[in-house]
Amino acid sequence: QQPVQSPQAVILREGEDAVINCSSSKALYSVHWYRQKHGEAPVFLMILLKGGEQKGHDKISASFNEKKQQSSLYLTASQLSYSGTYFCGTERLRALRTGGGADGLTFGKGTHLIIQP
Amino acid sequence: DTEVTQTPKHLVMGMTNKKSLKCEQHMGHRAMYWYKQKAKKPPELMFVYSYEKLSINESVPSRFSPECPNSSLLNLHLHALQPEDSALYLCASSQPGDRGGGELFFGEGSRLTVL
C-alpha cells in the first residue's frame, strides 16, 4: 500500500527550513528517502531502520516513529541544490513478507521542493 | 564501481515490435528491480529479482517479460506494447541484508515511446 506524503509541494527561499512527512498504514521495517531532479534518476538520501531512529546527512536529517509508522525528512538552511522531488519509499516488515530477500520499495507520490534564491 | 547502467537510453517502438531493455551492475548486489515511472509520478514497482529468482511480480501484463541471466544482468523484454506503456523504465539494484532489501541504486533509465 502506497505511503502518504505531505505536503505535495513546497516553495522556499534559500536558507529556509522544510519538513516532509511520510506515513503508512502498514507495519514497516524501513523507510527510505530519495531525491529526484528533473530528467535524472532518484538518488538515495538515507534509510531509517529502527523505531525512533534519526539519521543525518549534512543539513538533511530524518526520523522514523515506529509506533506511528511515520517518518519525517528535515531540510535545514536549504540550498539551491536541494530543489527536486523527494520520495519516501517504504519496506514492509520481513515477518509479513511471503519470501526472503528483497521485496522492493513502495514510493509515496512525492513532494516537489522549489528553492528560490 | 557504484553504477547501474541501462541501455538503450531512448527507445521508440511500434505496437507490433519486440525489443529489450538491458541493465547491468557490478556492485555484487543480489537484488535487482524494474520500476516504471510516468511523468510527475513516483516510480512504480514492476518486478524484483532476489538472488536471480523472480520474487515479486506486481501484476504486470504479460507483454512485459523480465529475465535475469546472472547476478549482474537484468533484462526486460517488450512485446506488443500499448501507447500507454510509454514511460521511463528504471532499473535498480541493492544488497539484501538480514531483514531488508537495502539501499536502491538506480540507473538513469530507458525512456520508452510506443507509437
Side-chain angles (χ1 to χ4, degrees):
Chain A
Q1 191 165 1
Q2 188 177 43
V4 178
Q5 260 187 263
S6 63
Q8 288 185 339
V10 182
I11 300 175
L12 298 176
R13 294 280 183 194
E14 202 173 1
E16 292 181 337
D17 302 340
V19 180
I20 301 171
N21 300 303
C22 176
S23 64
S24 173
S25 59
K26 299 291 186 183
L28 301 175
Y29 171 62
S30 67
V31 178
H32 297 219
W33 287 96
Y34 293 78
R35 176 172 60 212
Q36 186 175 28
K37 293 182 179 284
H38 182 69
E40 299 179 9
V43 174
F44 173 79
L45 294 175
M46 62 189 72
I47 180 173
L48 300 118
L49 295 171
K50 297 178 182 178
E53 184 177 19
Q54 294 191 2
K55 284 203 167 185
H57 183 273
D58 195 11
K59 294 178 181 176
I60 300 175
S61 61
S63 63
F64 178 28
N65 185 320
E66 188 177 10
K67 287 184 180 179
K68 294 184 178 180
Q69 300 301 306
Q70 292 177 348
S71 178
S72 294
L73 184 71
Y74 307 94
L75 301 116
T76 58
S78 57
Q79 305 168 14
L80 293 175
S81 61
Y82 287 3
S83 292
T85 302
Y86 289 77
F87 294 104
C88 70
T90 56
E91 184 177 24
R92 293 176 300 152
L93 276 177
R94 185 182 176 93
L96 301 178
R97 298 179 186 173
T98 55
D103 280 359
L105 300 179
T106 302
F107 288 97
K109 291 186 176 181
T111 297
H112 188 45
L113 178 64
I114 298 172
I115 310 294
Q116 296 177 336
Chain B
D1 185 0
T2 58
E3 282 191 347
V4 175
T5 304
Q6 288 188 243
T7 56
K9 286 186 170 28
H10 299 275
L11 178 63
V12 179
M13 60 186 290
M15 290 190 286
T16 58
N17 292 159
K18 284 184 179 181
K19 296 286 184 182
S20 297
L21 305 180
K22 297 184 184 300
C23 176
E24 188 170 8
Q25 58 91 11
H26 294 290
M27 293 177 277
H29 289 171
R30 301 304 299 277
M32 296 188 76
Y33 312 77
W34 282 114
Y35 279 88
K36 173 183 177 180
Q37 188 175 30
K38 292 271 204 178
K40 298 185 179 181
K41 298 291 185 182
E44 182 182 337
L45 184 63
M46 300 176 71
F47 301 105
V48 181
Y49 274 85
S50 284
Y51 301 94
E52 296 88 67
K53 291 184 179 179
L54 183 64
S55 58
I56 299 287
N57 177 341
E58 292 288 350
S59 303
V60 179
S62 59
R63 56 186 184 268
F64 294 91
S65 176
E67 179 195 17
C68 188
N70 58 55
S71 60
S72 300
L73 295 174
L74 185 65
N75 299 320
L76 186 62
H77 302 297
L78 314 170
H79 174 56
L81 294 192
Q82 304 296 311
E84 59 265 28
D85 296 323
S86 298
L88 181 68
Y89 288 84
L90 292 164
C91 173
S93 71
S94 72
Q95 181 52 42
D98 191 30
R99 290 171 58 196
E103 163 193 349
L104 297 188
F105 289 79
F106 282 92
E108 292 188 348
S110 293
R111 188 163 297 282
L112 173 67
T113 302
V114 182
L115 301 177

